[in-house]
Amino acid sequence: MSARADTVGAHGDSLWSKAFRKFRHDRVGMWSLAVVLAYAIVALGVVLGVWATDWAEVSGPKWSPASVEYWFGTNIIGQDIFARSLYSTRTAFEVGLLVALGATALGALLGAIAGFFSGTWIDELIIWVMGVLDSVPFILLVAAIAYTLQGSPWAMHIAMISTFWIGTARLIRGEVIKLKSLEYVEAAQAIGVNRLMIIFRHILPNTFHILLVQATLSFVAAIKSEVILSFLGLGVKDGMSWGLMISESTFEVLAGFFNNFLAASVLMFGLVMAFNMFSDALQDALDPRTVK
Amino acid sequence: MNPTPESSDSVLLQVRDLKKYFPVRGGWFRGVQQQLKAVDGISFALHSGRTLGLVGESGCGKSTLGRALLNLHPPTAGDVLLDGLPLAGLSRQALFARRRDMQIIFQDPFASLSPRRTVAQIVREPLDVHRLGTQRERRRRVEELLGVVGLRSNALNRYPHEFSGGQRQRIGIARALALKPRFIVADEPVSALDVSVQSQVLNLIGKLQAELGIAFLFISHDLAVIRHISDEVAVMYLGKFVEHAPAEKIFAAPKHPYTKALLSSIPVPDPANKSPRMVLEGDVPSPMNPPAGCPFHPRCPIATERCRIEVPALRESQTDSEHVVGCYLAT
């Protein structure tokens, strides 16, 4: 063990550089990262106005099949499905990132506070809030929030964050209850580290692997929920998304034209799948206890 | 009452009738149903530079006593005086300042260091929290501490999982020493280590004590370790001290029947030695529902009617005022 430690850590590597090296040797992880990055570049290009600027223009004939001019064909009113798919990638990233960050941060914070003060009124209050939000059907909650926010484009994001944090918070609460009785937390108390610092410096960093998984799960869940909500008319208000594309395609599918539906579904599947595999690989790489 | 021999320096730690009860909740409205009496009326004094060895079976309250002394578990009742100043009822800031004088070393070297912090961060944290010295001085002090516990400075930027159990225990000791404490609770610091590594860590603790004059409360269930390191020994049973005396006296002539049974369990490496072993029947009773009278009477081979009714107080033995025992039948 010590001989091994002497060689492994001789250069004083940080945990991150070690995780990075481990990740680089994970072939599946690297491929899935490449796929996610490709999607991210597409999304970035849309944000910067490099491509898919004409997603809303009616430029071609109705239901044109895939061709050199229209790679994925055109939809029912002659808009370029390829451009719309690219633009939707940006929407997916926007929804996924915002919701994943918001829900994970909120879940980590409230879960850690509940866990650290478990058994007190603070814990009970947080558990009560989680129970109340959990008991409202998701779609109903989105509709209610959308109504209260007067159709704001952020209603969907807020609705997702306000429900997705609960799962994370429950997991973190349990983990914090476990961690706070460990001796290194007692050691910090003996030193005189204040409670906030104990939570944020000693306990939360050790739940990072859970937060990472929860963030990726929230990212994926947000993309999928966006599709359902947009399909129901509760989601994306202005802009384009895979959910809206699938919603549009209902008439087309009945008429035997599948391009719109397939483009949105396959692109969503690719991103969700790659992201899941990427998060698995990242998780393995970041766990300091797994040494391959 | 205090079995500490003539010592010129003053009492560092004075403990008076310390109690730590944990409420046990249950029932429909989660009311307090019972009290778990983990530490039940303990008094002793400890001089600087000396080691009090604390022995007892698992669950007798040894670790709780150690944590109650440091206010990690705030005591239910009683006083802990460090340098004559009480720790109970201090404001958060005042307690924070006192923490510099008292530290703790833990049993499990794999649970006592945060896996995501480097050795430098771990050992430096006490200095940062108490704002001791400049950045540069803190860095130098961390290197110095690692040297004291026998680790090379290339350990600084490494993570705990890269070290062996004994090395990790040294890191924990370096952290405990960072604030130059005068009193350290060592909660079974070698129980989780290999025998070969145990002696290294014990020698390190002994050396530090000799050089720095730190007083130790050394908790262990290993009598050989206790004998090796302690100046005086206290035997704990169900939250109470049952015997407290200088180490050589307690090992030479134990007076309480529980102590006698514990000591007879030490194997003697001599086949000619056929001294009878005293085997205790049964388990330690639940501290939630301790027996009436002497807590040891259900397992005691010599218990009388009186032991079943009255609780014996700790008293000086008839032959030796330094030897304190809590048994009616002991001489």
Side-chain angles (χ1 to χ4, degrees):
Chain A
M1 167 86 203
S2 61
R4 176 149 211 296
D6 282 336
T7 52
V8 170
H11 317 293
D13 309 352
S14 76
L15 208 58
W16 292 104
S17 61
K18 246 177 267 171
F20 179 67
R21 236 180 304 137
K22 224 193 292 184
F23 187 86
R24 253 187 4 203
H25 292 290
D26 189 331
R27 197 176 297 175
V28 177
M30 288 302 281
W31 275 111
S32 52
L33 176 63
V35 173
V36 171
L37 282 179
Y39 273 95
I41 288 168
V42 169
L44 199 67
V46 175
V47 173
L48 298 176
V50 181
W51 46 62
T53 45
D54 56 346
W55 64 274
E57 280 168 34
V58 178
S59 53
K62 165 189 177 184
W63 286 347
S64 145
S67 63
V68 179
E69 198 184 349
Y70 306 108
W71 289 5
F72 290 174
T74 57
N75 69 0
I76 196 164
I77 57 168
Q79 292 164 314
D80 182 8
I81 293 175
F82 182 65
R84 293 166 82 75
S85 302
L86 294 192
Y87 190 87
S88 300
T89 308
R90 179 209 128 136
T91 310
F93 265 85
E94 177 203 293
V95 173
L97 285 176
L98 277 177
V99 171
L101 282 177
T104 307
L106 196 63
L109 185 72
L110 292 177
I113 290 173
F116 193 79
F117 296 103
S118 62
T120 68
W121 65 269
I122 301 172
D123 180 36
E124 286 183 11
L125 179 71
I126 292 173
I127 289 178
W128 182 82
V129 171
M130 295 197 287
V132 169
L133 284 175
D134 241 1
S135 64
V136 182
F138 180 53
I139 307 276
L140 211 63
L141 187 75
V142 182
I145 291 175
Y147 180 76
T148 350
L149 293 179
Q150 300 293 326
S152 150
W154 303 109
M156 175 180 67
H157 302 72
I158 291 168
M160 286 190 205
I161 289 172
S162 59
T163 48
F164 287 3
W165 68 272
I166 297 169
T168 306
R170 283 196 210 280
L171 283 175
I172 294 300
R173 177 178 176 270
E175 186 71 9
V176 168
I177 289 175
K178 189 185 97 187
L179 292 175
K180 77 170 179 179
S181 65
L182 285 185
E183 292 178 341
Y184 65 80
V185 175
E186 276 189 309
Q189 283 167 340
I191 288 165
V193 182
N194 70 47
R195 290 188 289 188
L196 237 86
M197 287 289 249
I198 287 179
I199 295 177
F200 287 105
R201 189 192 274 171
H202 292 274
I203 296 180
L204 266 183
N206 288 304
T207 64
F208 189 74
H209 57 290
I210 297 177
L211 293 178
L212 196 75
V213 180
Q214 287 300 113
T216 53
L217 290 178
S218 303
F219 184 92
V220 170
I223 291 175
K224 292 196 285 190
S225 299
E226 180 276 314
V227 172
I228 297 166
L229 293 176
S230 296
F231 185 83
L232 292 173
L234 290 167
V236 173
K237 290 287 182 290
D238 36 35
M240 184 38 60
S241 78
W242 292 328
L244 285 178
M245 285 171 70
I246 292 172
S247 171
E248 287 174 357
S249 72
T250 43
F251 301 105
E252 303 174 343
V253 169
L254 288 175
F257 182 79
F258 291 95
N259 287 24
N260 214 359
F261 174 77
L262 281 178
S265 313
V266 169
L267 281 171
M268 183 183 77
F269 175 78
L271 178 59
V272 168
M273 190 76 194
F275 213 90
N276 277 337
M277 280 154 62
F278 163 69
S279 76
D280 280 349
L282 196 63
Q283 204 183 326
D284 286 345
L286 272 174
D287 190 338
R289 282 151 298 203
T290 58
V291 181
K292 278 182 194 164
Chain B
M1 263 302 274
N2 181 22
T4 311
E6 70 303 325
S7 170
S8 53
D9 45 358
S10 58
V11 172
L12 176 69
L13 186 77
Q14 179 85 50
V15 180
R16 287 198 206 120
D17 201 24
L18 189 71
K19 291 177 179 164
K20 177 62 191 176
Y21 296 171
F22 292 101
V24 178
R25 292 175 181 276
W28 275 66
F29 298 102
R30 302 198 30 82
V32 176
Q33 304 276 302
Q34 274 174 311
Q35 299 282 353
L36 188 152
K37 299 179 176 177
V39 174
D40 195 12
I42 279 183
S43 306
F44 67 92
L46 184 61
H47 292 244
S48 34
R50 296 180 65 83
T51 298
L52 171 62
L54 183 59
V55 276
E57 286 168 272
S58 322
C60 71
K62 306 186 294 275
S63 294
T64 308
L65 172 60
R67 283 161 171 74
L69 293 179
L70 300 184
N71 227 299
L72 291 175
H73 294 331
T76 310
D79 289 322
V80 178
L81 292 91
L82 193 68
D83 274 331
L85 299 168
L87 293 174
L90 288 182
S91 69
R92 203 169 281 173
Q93 285 101 325
L95 184 63
F96 172 77
R98 301 305 306 275
R99 291 217 174 278
R100 283 180 60 176
D101 287 329
M102 46 185 196
Q103 282 300 311
I104 180 165
I105 302 169
F106 293 97
Q107 171 175 10
D108 182 354
F110 289 89
S112 60
L113 307 174
S114 177
R116 288 191 186 274
R117 316 206 76 214
T118 62
V119 171
Q121 287 174 322
I122 289 169
V123 177
R124 202 187 139 111
E125 179 162 40
L127 306 173
D128 289 338
V129 168
H130 286 265
R131 301 214 175 85
L132 300 179
T134 62
Q135 297 286 332
R136 194 129 157 243
E137 285 164 352
R138 287 177 201 170
R139 215 171 303 136
R140 211 174 309 133
R141 173 93 176 117
V142 169
E143 284 175 25
E144 180 193 317
L145 284 164
L146 287 187
V148 167
V149 299
L151 289 170
R152 278 176 291 156
S153 54
N154 69 2
L156 280 172
N157 293 315
R158 286 155 60 176
Y159 288 85
H161 71 272
E162 299 176 40
F163 295 90
S164 67
Q167 289 172 317
R168 294 170 65 115
Q169 200 56 288
R170 289 158 190 272
I171 299 169
I173 292 172
R175 171 178 59 193
L177 291 175
L179 295 172
K180 300 184 179 161
R182 303 167 61 205
F183 168 58
I184 291 182
V185 173
D187 187 5
E188 308 229 19
V190 296
S191 309
L193 304 178
D194 287 348
V195 178
S196 58
V197 183
Q198 281 192 0
S199 58
Q200 291 175 14
V201 173
L202 285 175
N203 290 340
L204 172 64
I205 290 177
K207 190 187 100 186
L208 292 173
Q209 181 161 40
E211 286 172 8
L212 306 172
I214 300 168
F216 274 89
L217 176 73
F218 194 99
I219 302 171
S220 181
H221 55 252
D222 186 335
L223 291 158
V225 168
I226 287 283
R227 181 175 209 164
H228 174 80
I229 201 149
S230 306
D231 297 306
E232 43 188 286
V233 173
V235 180
M236 200 166 168
Y237 189 80
L238 270 188
K240 288 184 165 72
F241 279 6
V242 295
E243 189 162 0
H244 183 185
E248 65 278 14
K249 290 184 180 169
I250 218 165
F251 279 99
K255 294 192 184 293
H256 196 282
Y258 180 62
T259 316
K260 287 179 183 168
L262 281 184
L263 294 184
S264 81
S265 72
I266 303 179
V268 181
D270 176 7
N273 185 318
K274 292 261 161 46
S275 64
R277 279 195 60 186
M278 247 175 92
V279 179
L280 288 180
E281 304 282 321
D283 290 321
V284 186
S286 160
M288 259 185 333
N289 188 17
C294 170
F296 186 59
H297 86 257
R299 301 169 77 192
C300 182
I302 56 169
T304 64
E305 200 48 50
R306 188 184 178 194
C307 303
R308 288 179 240 283
I309 300 159
E310 286 178 64
V311 183
L314 274 183
R315 59 174 175 84
E316 289 170 17
S317 87
Q318 289 151 16
T319 51
D320 187 346
S321 66
E322 283 175 20
H323 202 137
V324 172
V325 62
C327 177
Y328 293 122
L329 303 163
T331 52

